[in-house]
Amino acid sequence: MAWWMVGRRGWRVRGLLVAAGLLCLAAGPSLAQEVEEQPDVRVIIDVSGSMKENDPNQLGTSALELLVSLLPDGVSAGVWTFGERVDNPLPLGRVDAEWRRRALALSPALGEYQQFTDIEAAVREAATPDPNGGRHLVLLTDGMIDLPPARGAKPGVDRASRQTLLDDLATRLAAEGVVVHGIAFSEEADLALVERLSQITAGLPAMVETPESLLGAFLDIFERIFPTDQVPLDEGRFIIDPDVESFSALLFHDPDGEPLSLIAPDGTVYRADDRPEGSHWQVEPRFDLIRIPEPQPGEWRLEGEVGDDSRISVVAPLTLNTESLPATLYLGFPLPLEAWLEREGEPLVEGVDEIVMSVQLYDPEGSVQAAVRLEEQEGRFVGVLPAPALTGSARLVLRAEGEDFHRQRIQAVNILPAIGARHEPRAGRVALVAEHPRLDRDNTELSGELSGETLAAEAVEERRWHMPLPELDDAISRPLLITARITLDGETRELRLPRLLLNPDASTGLDLADMAGPTLAAERFGEDLDPDLDAGAGEDLNAADRFVALVNALPRLAMELWQEGRPGLERLAESHGRDPRLWAGVVLAVVLMLVLLLVRRRRRWRRVARREEPHV
């Protein structure tokens, strides 16, 4: 994903313009349909020093502005910030015009960076206030836990906090129904932490580096918290049935594209400067926001190029409903589905046999991974979506179609391997862990095939296995095929996992591929926070141990610093800048290296000066 290169001020101004546009729409009837129980939305924004470097375009500030503008009136929301400490500059309260004004006024405070990063404390405190309904936490961070040295020896104290966050706090929050949606702002972030935290709590993870991806991530989260009925938009056309009371169009377009026009069923052409009475039409560099009350029924058309993520949301007495859809799907596991229609809150029974209900699973490129047509059974539509075949982000699209009736709902999902696998070459084994919540040592047997040899996996914990490997030639890559024999609900079946390529010394790192899953990836990230100094035995290094390890590595580090110049110093400062003994050792090493270079040069000069021409 490429960076959107723009100065801080440029993106800041654009962010404010976007916020103003969305605020105009949010001030009217919300994009979200009314729900009986309005959930709390608690925004947690990282203001640590690392965010200053990993979020140069100040996406965190603009993210707050976007989400605040999208929130419907009447929900409870609050804002927390964190670095070394956790603050609550905007306490939990009902969203209205005054709440939005106070939220947008927080932007300057988001640039007052703190030195350290305590994600665990931020999540704990933001989740604490009593909920009005469900609790959705939106965590905006670069995902790198970095606690003050006063809290304990590093990196052990950081790892302990990370483990507590994932193993204890996230599990407890999930049991309480708290959902954490994690958004990371850099490829340098602890993406595994963000993904694992979201997975445990049934939230959506995302990494954003551009305004476009930021907006997409928030819309995905927004639609999960506040499900909204839409009508399909096909090649600039959409159909509004007579029941629709209003529609809202979010239309993405190129910043340099021609202005959009909206053509009503009767042929009337509307533009931003000539819009229908009582409507709103806000034009922004990358999208238009339009709200039309009491629209004409029939086919509407758009003139101008609009992006694939554009959507038309509708408000009507007849709504499309589903059982709660999971945020995470798993390879090899189909998804049971149930949907129905309601009119003014009552299940629709008459005429449902004339409705066609279907579900499609789309990958980010827009290709259909899986699809199913739901069958009507006593007013409900049920079916099973085939198991997805690829990991990564995807979208579930539920469609209902009848005569003069079109509805759809879109839900973003994350697809993971049911069982994660990671090659541990130093231990001579493959570590496996159950990502699917229902799999454990009692219902799952794992085996592997490597170059025609069958390998067995031994359960070491409730949801973990180790598969010992034969001695391998490091120069040869070999695919390991893993099979899981699973017994669930009285049915036994075999599940083949994606192959895992074994080659510990490969510079491409293929052995750390997608098979790891968020659990093992999170653990690997925690183990490799400081690979140069980590002895690999899993023991936390105290300050003295780190100092000794650094001194032992000084010749190599000094040469690297000499070759890299300023980037090398900045890299070292990020990792070890808070320990004066480390810097003393580095200075000593550089001085010794310079002395050594001078001595060697002087010796070479002397050898050249004393050299005599040979006699003939």
Side-chain angles (χ1 to χ4, degrees), residues 399-430:
R399 291 192 175 97
E401 297 181 334
E403 187 177 358
D404 296 329
F405 175 77
H406 304 271
R407 291 287 186 277
Q408 69 179 23
R409 284 200 175 188
I410 301 176
Q411 292 277 270
V413 295
N414 190 34
I415 304 174
L416 299 176
I419 297 175
R422 184 184 71 197
H423 184 204
E424 297 181 344
R426 284 188 296 182
R429 69 192 181 198
V430 169

PDB file of all heavy atoms in Angstrom, residues 399-430:
ATOM      1  N   ARG A 399     -27.960  -9.653  -0.263  1.00  0.00           N
ATOM      2  CA  ARG A 399     -28.878  -8.966  -1.172  1.00  0.00           C
ATOM      3  C   ARG A 399     -30.270  -9.586  -1.094  1.00  0.00           C
ATOM      4  O   ARG A 399     -30.410 -10.805  -1.028  1.00  0.00           O
ATOM      5  CB  ARG A 399     -28.374  -9.053  -2.611  1.00  0.00           C
ATOM      6  CG  ARG A 399     -27.117  -8.240  -2.879  1.00  0.00           C
ATOM      7  CD  ARG A 399     -26.846  -8.126  -4.379  1.00  0.00           C
ATOM      8  NE  ARG A 399     -25.714  -7.241  -4.626  1.00  0.00           N
ATOM      9  CZ  ARG A 399     -24.464  -7.663  -4.833  1.00  0.00           C
ATOM     10  NH1 ARG A 399     -24.213  -8.961  -4.814  1.00  0.00           N
ATOM     11  NH2 ARG A 399     -23.499  -6.807  -5.057  1.00  0.00           N
ATOM     12  N   ALA A 400     -31.302  -8.729  -1.123  1.00  0.00           N
ATOM     13  CA  ALA A 400     -32.706  -9.157  -1.194  1.00  0.00           C
ATOM     14  C   ALA A 400     -33.343  -8.428  -2.368  1.00  0.00           C
ATOM     15  O   ALA A 400     -33.279  -7.200  -2.457  1.00  0.00           O
ATOM     16  CB  ALA A 400     -33.431  -8.830   0.105  1.00  0.00           C
ATOM     17  N   GLU A 401     -33.974  -9.189  -3.274  1.00  0.00           N
ATOM     18  CA  GLU A 401     -34.538  -8.595  -4.471  1.00  0.00           C
ATOM     19  C   GLU A 401     -35.936  -9.144  -4.716  1.00  0.00           C
ATOM     20  O   GLU A 401     -36.199 -10.336  -4.553  1.00  0.00           O
ATOM     21  CB  GLU A 401     -33.648  -8.885  -5.686  1.00  0.00           C
ATOM     22  CG  GLU A 401     -32.256  -8.270  -5.565  1.00  0.00           C
ATOM     23  CD  GLU A 401     -31.396  -8.555  -6.778  1.00  0.00           C
ATOM     24  OE1 GLU A 401     -31.657  -9.586  -7.448  1.00  0.00           O
ATOM     25  OE2 GLU A 401     -30.486  -7.773  -7.056  1.00  0.00           O
ATOM     26  N   GLY A 402     -36.816  -8.249  -5.070  1.00  0.00           N
ATOM     27  CA  GLY A 402     -38.177  -8.612  -5.435  1.00  0.00           C
ATOM     28  C   GLY A 402     -38.686  -7.604  -6.449  1.00  0.00           C
ATOM     29  O   GLY A 402     -37.937  -6.745  -6.933  1.00  0.00           O
ATOM     30  N   GLU A 403     -39.971  -7.693  -6.784  1.00  0.00           N
ATOM     31  CA  GLU A 403     -40.543  -6.731  -7.723  1.00  0.00           C
ATOM     32  C   GLU A 403     -40.578  -5.348  -7.086  1.00  0.00           C
ATOM     33  O   GLU A 403     -41.179  -5.147  -6.018  1.00  0.00           O
ATOM     34  CB  GLU A 403     -41.957  -7.170  -8.118  1.00  0.00           C
ATOM     35  CG  GLU A 403     -42.556  -6.309  -9.216  1.00  0.00           C
ATOM     36  CD  GLU A 403     -43.919  -6.801  -9.639  1.00  0.00           C
ATOM     37  OE1 GLU A 403     -44.372  -7.841  -9.099  1.00  0.00           O
ATOM     38  OE2 GLU A 403     -44.541  -6.153 -10.503  1.00  0.00           O
ATOM     39  N   ASP A 404     -39.905  -4.400  -7.710  1.00  0.00           N
ATOM     40  CA  ASP A 404     -39.805  -3.028  -7.192  1.00  0.00           C
ATOM     41  C   ASP A 404     -39.192  -2.989  -5.793  1.00  0.00           C
ATOM     42  O   ASP A 404     -39.556  -2.114  -4.980  1.00  0.00           O
ATOM     43  CB  ASP A 404     -41.184  -2.349  -7.163  1.00  0.00           C
ATOM     44  CG  ASP A 404     -41.767  -2.190  -8.555  1.00  0.00           C
ATOM     45  OD1 ASP A 404     -40.971  -2.024  -9.502  1.00  0.00           O
ATOM     46  OD2 ASP A 404     -43.000  -2.267  -8.691  1.00  0.00           O
ATOM     47  N   PHE A 405     -38.321  -3.921  -5.491  1.00  0.00           N
ATOM     48  CA  PHE A 405     -37.701  -3.942  -4.159  1.00  0.00           C
ATOM     49  C   PHE A 405     -36.258  -4.436  -4.285  1.00  0.00           C
ATOM     50  O   PHE A 405     -36.011  -5.517  -4.835  1.00  0.00           O
ATOM     51  CB  PHE A 405     -38.483  -4.857  -3.216  1.00  0.00           C
ATOM     52  CG  PHE A 405     -37.835  -5.026  -1.872  1.00  0.00           C
ATOM     53  CD1 PHE A 405     -37.914  -4.031  -0.913  1.00  0.00           C
ATOM     54  CD2 PHE A 405     -37.113  -6.180  -1.574  1.00  0.00           C
ATOM     55  CE1 PHE A 405     -37.299  -4.177   0.318  1.00  0.00           C
ATOM     56  CE2 PHE A 405     -36.508  -6.341  -0.346  1.00  0.00           C
ATOM     57  CZ  PHE A 405     -36.598  -5.334   0.599  1.00  0.00           C
ATOM     58  N   HIS A 406     -35.331  -3.643  -3.773  1.00  0.00           N
ATOM     59  CA  HIS A 406     -33.906  -3.998  -3.791  1.00  0.00           C
ATOM     60  C   HIS A 406     -33.267  -3.497  -2.499  1.00  0.00           C
ATOM     61  O   HIS A 406     -33.385  -2.313  -2.150  1.00  0.00           O
ATOM     62  CB  HIS A 406     -33.191  -3.369  -4.990  1.00  0.00           C
ATOM     63  CG  HIS A 406     -33.793  -3.719  -6.307  1.00  0.00           C
ATOM     64  ND1 HIS A 406     -33.438  -4.822  -7.032  1.00  0.00           N
ATOM     65  CD2 HIS A 406     -34.762  -3.091  -7.046  1.00  0.00           C
ATOM     66  CE1 HIS A 406     -34.128  -4.874  -8.149  1.00  0.00           C
ATOM     67  NE2 HIS A 406     -34.955  -3.833  -8.184  1.00  0.00           N
ATOM     68  N   ARG A 407     -32.639  -4.421  -1.777  1.00  0.00           N
ATOM     69  CA  ARG A 407     -31.927  -4.043  -0.549  1.00  0.00           C
ATOM     70  C   ARG A 407     -30.617  -4.842  -0.471  1.00  0.00           C
ATOM     71  O   ARG A 407     -30.531  -5.964  -1.000  1.00  0.00           O
ATOM     72  CB  ARG A 407     -32.760  -4.352   0.703  1.00  0.00           C
ATOM     73  CG  ARG A 407     -33.981  -3.505   0.896  1.00  0.00           C
ATOM     74  CD  ARG A 407     -33.645  -2.079   1.318  1.00  0.00           C
ATOM     75  NE  ARG A 407     -34.879  -1.371   1.633  1.00  0.00           N
ATOM     76  CZ  ARG A 407     -35.671  -0.790   0.733  1.00  0.00           C
ATOM     77  NH1 ARG A 407     -35.362  -0.849  -0.558  1.00  0.00           N
ATOM     78  NH2 ARG A 407     -36.760  -0.159   1.109  1.00  0.00           N
ATOM     79  N   GLN A 408     -29.645  -4.281   0.206  1.00  0.00           N
ATOM     80  CA  GLN A 408     -28.426  -5.021   0.480  1.00  0.00           C
ATOM     81  C   GLN A 408     -27.779  -4.471   1.749  1.00  0.00           C
ATOM     82  O   GLN A 408     -28.012  -3.320   2.136  1.00  0.00           O
ATOM     83  CB  GLN A 408     -27.444  -4.954  -0.683  1.00  0.00           C
ATOM     84  CG  GLN A 408     -26.820  -3.594  -0.916  1.00  0.00           C
ATOM     85  CD  GLN A 408     -25.824  -3.608  -2.072  1.00  0.00           C
ATOM     86  OE1 GLN A 408     -25.883  -4.460  -2.957  1.00  0.00           O
ATOM     87  NE2 GLN A 408     -24.897  -2.663  -2.057  1.00  0.00           N
ATOM     88  N   ARG A 409     -27.017  -5.343   2.397  1.00  0.00           N
ATOM     89  CA  ARG A 409     -26.190  -4.944   3.529  1.00  0.00           C
ATOM     90  C   ARG A 409     -24.772  -5.441   3.288  1.00  0.00           C
ATOM     91  O   ARG A 409     -24.570  -6.535   2.772  1.00  0.00           O
ATOM     92  CB  ARG A 409     -26.736  -5.497   4.843  1.00  0.00           C
ATOM     93  CG  ARG A 409     -27.950  -4.743   5.347  1.00  0.00           C
ATOM     94  CD  ARG A 409     -28.189  -4.946   6.822  1.00  0.00           C
ATOM     95  NE  ARG A 409     -29.295  -4.123   7.284  1.00  0.00           N
ATOM     96  CZ  ARG A 409     -29.625  -3.977   8.566  1.00  0.00           C
ATOM     97  NH1 ARG A 409     -28.939  -4.617   9.504  1.00  0.00           N
ATOM     98  NH2 ARG A 409     -30.632  -3.212   8.919  1.00  0.00           N
ATOM     99  N   ILE A 410     -23.803  -4.641   3.692  1.00  0.00           N
ATOM    100  CA  ILE A 410     -22.398  -4.972   3.487  1.00  0.00           C
ATOM    101  C   ILE A 410     -21.705  -5.017   4.843  1.00  0.00           C
ATOM    102  O   ILE A 410     -21.852  -4.088   5.642  1.00  0.00           O
ATOM    103  CB  ILE A 410     -21.710  -3.942   2.570  1.00  0.00           C
ATOM    104  CG1 ILE A 410     -22.410  -3.897   1.204  1.00  0.00           C
ATOM    105  CG2 ILE A 410     -20.233  -4.265   2.400  1.00  0.00           C
ATOM    106  CD1 ILE A 410     -21.862  -2.843   0.271  1.00  0.00           C
ATOM    107  N   GLN A 411     -20.963  -6.085   5.088  1.00  0.00           N
ATOM    108  CA  GLN A 411     -20.207  -6.222   6.330  1.00  0.00           C
ATOM    109  C   GLN A 411     -18.776  -6.648   5.985  1.00  0.00           C
ATOM    110  O   GLN A 411     -18.562  -7.635   5.277  1.00  0.00           O
ATOM    111  CB  GLN A 411     -20.833  -7.266   7.246  1.00  0.00           C
ATOM    112  CG  GLN A 411     -22.187  -6.855   7.808  1.00  0.00           C
ATOM    113  CD  GLN A 411     -22.090  -5.980   9.034  1.00  0.00           C
ATOM    114  OE1 GLN A 411     -22.053  -6.449  10.153  1.00  0.00           O
ATOM    115  NE2 GLN A 411     -22.041  -4.681   8.811  1.00  0.00           N
ATOM    116  N   ALA A 412     -17.813  -5.888   6.461  1.00  0.00           N
ATOM    117  CA  ALA A 412     -16.407  -6.252   6.269  1.00  0.00           C
ATOM    118  C   ALA A 412     -16.050  -7.394   7.214  1.00  0.00           C
ATOM    119  O   ALA A 412     -16.535  -7.456   8.349  1.00  0.00           O
ATOM    120  CB  ALA A 412     -15.509  -5.047   6.533  1.00  0.00           C
ATOM    121  N   VAL A 413     -15.206  -8.310   6.747  1.00  0.00           N
ATOM    122  CA  VAL A 413     -14.759  -9.436   7.560  1.00  0.00           C
ATOM    123  C   VAL A 413     -13.265  -9.635   7.347  1.00  0.00           C
ATOM    124  O   VAL A 413     -12.683  -9.149   6.374  1.00  0.00           O
ATOM    125  CB  VAL A 413     -15.514 -10.747   7.203  1.00  0.00           C
ATOM    126  CG1 VAL A 413     -16.983 -10.637   7.547  1.00  0.00           C
ATOM    127  CG2 VAL A 413     -15.325 -11.094   5.734  1.00  0.00           C
ATOM    128  N   ASN A 414     -12.657 -10.371   8.259  1.00  0.00           N
ATOM    129  CA  ASN A 414     -11.246 -10.754   8.159  1.00  0.00           C
ATOM    130  C   ASN A 414     -11.186 -12.274   8.119  1.00  0.00           C
ATOM    131  O   ASN A 414     -11.798 -12.941   8.943  1.00  0.00           O
ATOM    132  CB  ASN A 414     -10.473 -10.223   9.366  1.00  0.00           C
ATOM    133  CG  ASN A 414      -8.977 -10.368   9.212  1.00  0.00           C
ATOM    134  OD1 ASN A 414      -8.445 -10.261   8.103  1.00  0.00           O
ATOM    135  ND2 ASN A 414      -8.272 -10.615  10.302  1.00  0.00           N
ATOM    136  N   ILE A 415     -10.462 -12.823   7.154  1.00  0.00           N
ATOM    137  CA  ILE A 415     -10.397 -14.272   6.980  1.00  0.00           C
ATOM    138  C   ILE A 415      -9.033 -14.772   7.458  1.00  0.00           C
ATOM    139  O   ILE A 415      -7.989 -14.273   7.025  1.00  0.00           O
ATOM    140  CB  ILE A 415     -10.616 -14.673   5.517  1.00  0.00           C
ATOM    141  CG1 ILE A 415     -11.947 -14.118   5.025  1.00  0.00           C
ATOM    142  CG2 ILE A 415     -10.582 -16.194   5.363  1.00  0.00           C
ATOM    143  CD1 ILE A 415     -12.188 -14.350   3.551  1.00  0.00           C
ATOM    144  N   LEU A 416      -9.048 -15.751   8.366  1.00  0.00           N
ATOM    145  CA  LEU A 416      -7.830 -16.287   8.970  1.00  0.00           C
ATOM    146  C   LEU A 416      -7.738 -17.793   8.751  1.00  0.00           C
ATOM    147  O   LEU A 416      -8.744 -18.448   8.516  1.00  0.00           O
ATOM    148  CB  LEU A 416      -7.821 -16.009  10.485  1.00  0.00           C
ATOM    149  CG  LEU A 416      -7.839 -14.564  10.943  1.00  0.00           C
ATOM    150  CD1 LEU A 416      -7.929 -14.504  12.458  1.00  0.00           C
ATOM    151  CD2 LEU A 416      -6.622 -13.815  10.447  1.00  0.00           C
ATOM    152  N   PRO A 417      -6.526 -18.345   8.854  1.00  0.00           N
ATOM    153  CA  PRO A 417      -6.421 -19.809   8.867  1.00  0.00           C
ATOM    154  C   PRO A 417      -7.045 -20.365  10.135  1.00  0.00           C
ATOM    155  O   PRO A 417      -6.937 -19.769  11.204  1.00  0.00           O
ATOM    156  CB  PRO A 417      -4.905 -20.048   8.823  1.00  0.00           C
ATOM    157  CG  PRO A 417      -4.307 -18.806   9.406  1.00  0.00           C
ATOM    158  CD  PRO A 417      -5.212 -17.684   8.977  1.00  0.00           C
ATOM    159  N   ALA A 418      -7.715 -21.516  10.028  1.00  0.00           N
ATOM    160  CA  ALA A 418      -8.320 -22.120  11.213  1.00  0.00           C
ATOM    161  C   ALA A 418      -7.255 -22.539  12.215  1.00  0.00           C
ATOM    162  O   ALA A 418      -7.465 -22.501  13.424  1.00  0.00           O
ATOM    163  CB  ALA A 418      -9.178 -23.314  10.819  1.00  0.00           C
ATOM    164  N   ILE A 419      -6.102 -22.948  11.700  1.00  0.00           N
ATOM    165  CA  ILE A 419      -4.959 -23.328  12.539  1.00  0.00           C
ATOM    166  C   ILE A 419      -3.730 -22.625  11.996  1.00  0.00           C
ATOM    167  O   ILE A 419      -3.392 -22.767  10.817  1.00  0.00           O
ATOM    168  CB  ILE A 419      -4.753 -24.855  12.538  1.00  0.00           C
ATOM    169  CG1 ILE A 419      -5.975 -25.550  13.152  1.00  0.00           C
ATOM    170  CG2 ILE A 419      -3.488 -25.237  13.299  1.00  0.00           C
ATOM    171  CD1 ILE A 419      -5.926 -27.059  13.077  1.00  0.00           C
ATOM    172  N   GLY A 420      -3.085 -21.857  12.832  1.00  0.00           N
ATOM    173  CA  GLY A 420      -1.875 -21.171  12.424  1.00  0.00           C
ATOM    174  C   GLY A 420      -0.656 -22.050  12.620  1.00  0.00           C
ATOM    175  O   GLY A 420      -0.601 -22.867  13.541  1.00  0.00           O
ATOM    176  N   ALA A 421       0.325 -21.895  11.737  1.00  0.00           N
ATOM    177  CA  ALA A 421       1.548 -22.697  11.807  1.00  0.00           C
ATOM    178  C   ALA A 421       2.758 -21.795  11.597  1.00  0.00           C
ATOM    179  O   ALA A 421       2.730 -20.899  10.750  1.00  0.00           O
ATOM    180  CB  ALA A 421       1.527 -23.813  10.772  1.00  0.00           C
ATOM    181  N   ARG A 422       3.819 -22.067  12.363  1.00  0.00           N
ATOM    182  CA  ARG A 422       5.048 -21.281  12.246  1.00  0.00           C
ATOM    183  C   ARG A 422       6.251 -22.198  12.389  1.00  0.00           C
ATOM    184  O   ARG A 422       6.316 -23.011  13.316  1.00  0.00           O
ATOM    185  CB  ARG A 422       5.099 -20.194  13.317  1.00  0.00           C
ATOM    186  CG  ARG A 422       6.313 -19.273  13.202  1.00  0.00           C
ATOM    187  CD  ARG A 422       6.363 -18.283  14.347  1.00  0.00           C
ATOM    188  NE  ARG A 422       6.700 -18.928  15.600  1.00  0.00           N
ATOM    189  CZ  ARG A 422       6.505 -18.405  16.800  1.00  0.00           C
ATOM    190  NH1 ARG A 422       5.904 -17.240  16.899  1.00  0.00           N
ATOM    191  NH2 ARG A 422       6.859 -19.041  17.888  1.00  0.00           N
ATOM    192  N   HIS A 423       7.197 -22.047  11.477  1.00  0.00           N
ATOM    193  CA  HIS A 423       8.425 -22.836  11.547  1.00  0.00           C
ATOM    194  C   HIS A 423       9.359 -22.227  12.590  1.00  0.00           C
ATOM    195  O   HIS A 423       9.625 -21.031  12.576  1.00  0.00           O
ATOM    196  CB  HIS A 423       9.099 -22.857  10.172  1.00  0.00           C
ATOM    197  CG  HIS A 423      10.308 -23.727  10.124  1.00  0.00           C
ATOM    198  ND1 HIS A 423      11.313 -23.551   9.204  1.00  0.00           N
ATOM    199  CD2 HIS A 423      10.696 -24.787  10.896  1.00  0.00           C
ATOM    200  CE1 HIS A 423      12.252 -24.456   9.391  1.00  0.00           C
ATOM    201  NE2 HIS A 423      11.893 -25.203  10.416  1.00  0.00           N
ATOM    202  N   GLU A 424       9.845 -23.062  13.510  1.00  0.00           N
ATOM    203  CA  GLU A 424      10.819 -22.637  14.519  1.00  0.00           C
ATOM    204  C   GLU A 424      12.101 -23.428  14.265  1.00  0.00           C
ATOM    205  O   GLU A 424      12.319 -24.498  14.851  1.00  0.00           O
ATOM    206  CB  GLU A 424      10.264 -22.885  15.923  1.00  0.00           C
ATOM    207  CG  GLU A 424       9.016 -22.062  16.219  1.00  0.00           C
ATOM    208  CD  GLU A 424       8.463 -22.291  17.622  1.00  0.00           C
ATOM    209  OE1 GLU A 424       8.861 -23.296  18.266  1.00  0.00           O
ATOM    210  OE2 GLU A 424       7.635 -21.477  18.063  1.00  0.00           O
ATOM    211  N   PRO A 425      12.956 -22.905  13.382  1.00  0.00           N
ATOM    212  CA  PRO A 425      14.124 -23.694  12.950  1.00  0.00           C
ATOM    213  C   PRO A 425      15.090 -24.017  14.067  1.00  0.00           C
ATOM    214  O   PRO A 425      15.680 -25.107  14.088  1.00  0.00           O
ATOM    215  CB  PRO A 425      14.773 -22.797  11.882  1.00  0.00           C
ATOM    216  CG  PRO A 425      14.227 -21.426  12.127  1.00  0.00           C
ATOM    217  CD  PRO A 425      12.873 -21.606  12.700  1.00  0.00           C
ATOM    218  N   ARG A 426      15.288 -23.114  15.019  1.00  0.00           N
ATOM    219  CA  ARG A 426      16.243 -23.393  16.096  1.00  0.00           C
ATOM    220  C   ARG A 426      15.768 -24.540  16.977  1.00  0.00           C
ATOM    221  O   ARG A 426      16.583 -25.285  17.539  1.00  0.00           O
ATOM    222  CB  ARG A 426      16.467 -22.132  16.932  1.00  0.00           C
ATOM    223  CG  ARG A 426      17.365 -21.121  16.235  1.00  0.00           C
ATOM    224  CD  ARG A 426      17.726 -19.989  17.165  1.00  0.00           C
ATOM    225  NE  ARG A 426      16.560 -19.208  17.568  1.00  0.00           N
ATOM    226  CZ  ARG A 426      16.617 -18.140  18.353  1.00  0.00           C
ATOM    227  NH1 ARG A 426      17.775 -17.748  18.848  1.00  0.00           N
ATOM    228  NH2 ARG A 426      15.524 -17.482  18.655  1.00  0.00           N
ATOM    229  N   ALA A 427      14.452 -24.683  17.119  1.00  0.00           N
ATOM    230  CA  ALA A 427      13.905 -25.779  17.916  1.00  0.00           C
ATOM    231  C   ALA A 427      13.667 -27.026  17.078  1.00  0.00           C
ATOM    232  O   ALA A 427      13.316 -28.079  17.620  1.00  0.00           O
ATOM    233  CB  ALA A 427      12.598 -25.347  18.577  1.00  0.00           C
ATOM    234  N   GLY A 428      13.852 -26.926  15.751  1.00  0.00           N
ATOM    235  CA  GLY A 428      13.656 -28.074  14.897  1.00  0.00           C
ATOM    236  C   GLY A 428      12.227 -28.576  14.867  1.00  0.00           C
ATOM    237  O   GLY A 428      11.973 -29.782  14.847  1.00  0.00           O
ATOM    238  N   ARG A 429      11.264 -27.639  14.799  1.00  0.00           N
ATOM    239  CA  ARG A 429       9.865 -28.042  14.853  1.00  0.00           C
ATOM    240  C   ARG A 429       8.991 -26.985  14.203  1.00  0.00           C
ATOM    241  O   ARG A 429       9.453 -25.868  13.865  1.00  0.00           O
ATOM    242  CB  ARG A 429       9.424 -28.228  16.305  1.00  0.00           C
ATOM    243  CG  ARG A 429       9.345 -26.911  17.082  1.00  0.00           C
ATOM    244  CD  ARG A 429       9.190 -27.123  18.560  1.00  0.00           C
ATOM    245  NE  ARG A 429       9.085 -25.847  19.268  1.00  0.00           N
ATOM    246  CZ  ARG A 429       9.288 -25.687  20.586  1.00  0.00           C
ATOM    247  NH1 ARG A 429       9.602 -26.757  21.333  1.00  0.00           N
ATOM    248  NH2 ARG A 429       9.156 -24.505  21.153  1.00  0.00           N
ATOM    249  N   VAL A 430       7.718 -27.340  14.058  1.00  0.00           N
ATOM    250  CA  VAL A 430       6.690 -26.400  13.631  1.00  0.00           C
ATOM    251  C   VAL A 430       5.719 -26.224  14.789  1.00  0.00           C
ATOM    252  O   VAL A 430       5.237 -27.206  15.369  1.00  0.00           O
ATOM    253  CB  VAL A 430       5.955 -26.901  12.376  1.00  0.00           C
ATOM    254  CG1 VAL A 430       4.725 -26.049  12.097  1.00  0.00           C
ATOM    255  CG2 VAL A 430       6.886 -26.881  11.173  1.00  0.00           C
TER     256      VAL A 430
END
